């Protein structure tokens, strides 16, 4: 199968800014999980194999990485995966229906360690507002970082929100979850 044929199958085109219909996209009504910043796609590929009864959408803004992810997907084994090039901001509800996502994964977002660059970090109040809008009630946001400063930043940003609640006493766990998938950016 050529990359173009794979792209036709796996990629969701967002140029029209049309609201997604998951039944049309996946052909089933399984829960939808979203990975924001799919990087090289290893987490997305493995998680989709482990949870074949869930639908996965990987979001990546860099076209080179999106092509690499698509190239490494297999139509038979990853029929529950779609990818798209999309910037997740307040306009994302033009394509992702409000209250439709059960779980969001964010693996090793750029920590922007210098204080003058903290404004560039993904986890910001406006971003959390957007997550709240697209997620189902009792949905889960799962974030992994190996940068201690950014981990505390994330806990601080979420802990002031009455619409989110941590599953951990300290706000995070230092232990990897069972079945942990190592990614390129880890």
């Amino acid at each position: 199968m050529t990359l173009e044929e794979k792209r036709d199958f796996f990629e969701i085109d967002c140029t029209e800014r049309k609201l997604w219909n998951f039944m049309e996209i996946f052909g089933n009504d399984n829960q939808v999980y979203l990975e924001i910043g799919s990087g090289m796609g290893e987490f997305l590929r493995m998680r989709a194999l482990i949870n074949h009864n869930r639908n996965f959408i990987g979001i990546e803004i860099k076209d080179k990485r999106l092509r690499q992810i698509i190239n490494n997907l297999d139509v038979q084994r990853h029929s529950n995966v779609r990818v798209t090039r999309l910037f997740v901001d307040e306009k994302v509800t033009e394509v992702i229906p409000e209250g439709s996502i059960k779980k969001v994964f964010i693996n090793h977002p750029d920590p922007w360690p210098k204080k003058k660059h903290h404004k560039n970090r993904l986890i910001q109040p406006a971003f959390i507002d957007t997550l709240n809008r697209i997620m189902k009630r009792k949905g889960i946001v799962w974030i992994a970082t190996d940068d201690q400063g950014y981990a505390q930043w994330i806990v601080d940003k979420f802990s002031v929100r009455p619409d989110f609640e941590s599953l951990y006493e300290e706000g995070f766990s230092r232990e990897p979850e069972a079945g942990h998938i190592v990614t390129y950016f880890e």
Side-chain angles (χ1 to χ4, degrees):
M1 183 173 257
T2 68
L3 178 61
E4 201 54 45
E5 290 169 325
K6 283 180 145 187
R7 211 169 192 152
D8 287 343
F9 181 82
F10 288 112
E11 189 170 7
I12 302 171
D13 183 8
C14 291
T15 54
E16 291 182 24
R17 303 301 279 192
K18 180 182 160 200
L19 197 62
W20 294 343
N21 178 320
F22 295 128
M23 180 59 90
E24 287 177 12
I25 291 171
F26 292 103
N28 62 55
D29 62 354
N30 293 343
Q31 294 283 347
V32 177
Y33 290 2
L34 184 69
E35 184 187 23
I36 298 173
S38 295
M40 303 300 199
E42 57 273 86
F43 181 87
L44 185 64
R45 286 191 314 272
M46 293 304 296
R47 185 60 71 164
L49 289 175
I50 294 166
N51 301 109
H52 55 86
N53 60 342
R54 301 285 186 264
N55 295 321
F56 290 84
I57 297 176
I59 293 177
E60 181 54 58
I61 59 171
K62 295 186 177 181
D63 195 55
K64 183 178 178 180
R65 288 189 190 154
L66 196 62
R67 281 194 313 269
Q68 183 177 8
I69 293 167
I70 292 169
N71 200 40
N72 289 320
L73 291 170
D74 179 270
V75 172
Q76 300 300 318
R77 296 175 63 216
H78 300 107
S79 62
N80 60 334
V81 175
R82 298 297 182 272
V83 295
T84 191
R85 188 167 189 229
L86 181 66
F87 191 76
V88 180
D89 61 9
E90 68 278 351
K91 294 180 184 175
V92 80
T93 54
E94 293 174 7
V95 292
I96 301 176
E98 291 192 29
S100 65
I101 304 297
K102 179 63 177 174
K103 196 168 191 177
V104 172
F105 297 97
I106 304 169
N107 288 292
H108 303 281
D110 192 336
W112 294 96
K114 293 181 181 176
K115 189 170 183 159
K116 67 181 181 179
H117 296 139
H118 285 184
K119 65 184 181 290
N120 298 325
R121 288 178 164 175
L122 177 64
I123 309 301
Q124 301 286 351
F127 177 78
I128 298 171
D129 287 342
T130 299
L131 289 180
N132 188 42
R133 291 177 62 202
I134 64 171
M135 295 191 69
K136 289 184 175 205
R137 193 161 144 51
K138 303 267 187 188
I140 296 173
V141 177
W142 186 92
I143 304 172
T145 182
D146 49 12
D147 184 284
Q148 186 60 39
Y150 198 18
Q152 192 57 56
W153 168 281
I154 293 166
V155 169
D156 291 347
K157 297 299 178 201
F158 275 94
S159 67
V160 297
R161 304 285 304 235
D163 46 355
F164 286 91
E165 173 184 328
S166 179
L167 300 173
Y168 304 102
E169 191 173 312
E170 292 182 61
F172 60 90
S173 171
R174 295 180 193 283
E175 299 298 317
E177 71 171 0
H180 175 71
I181 299 167
V182 177
T183 66
Y184 178 82
F185 292 103
E186 184 169 351

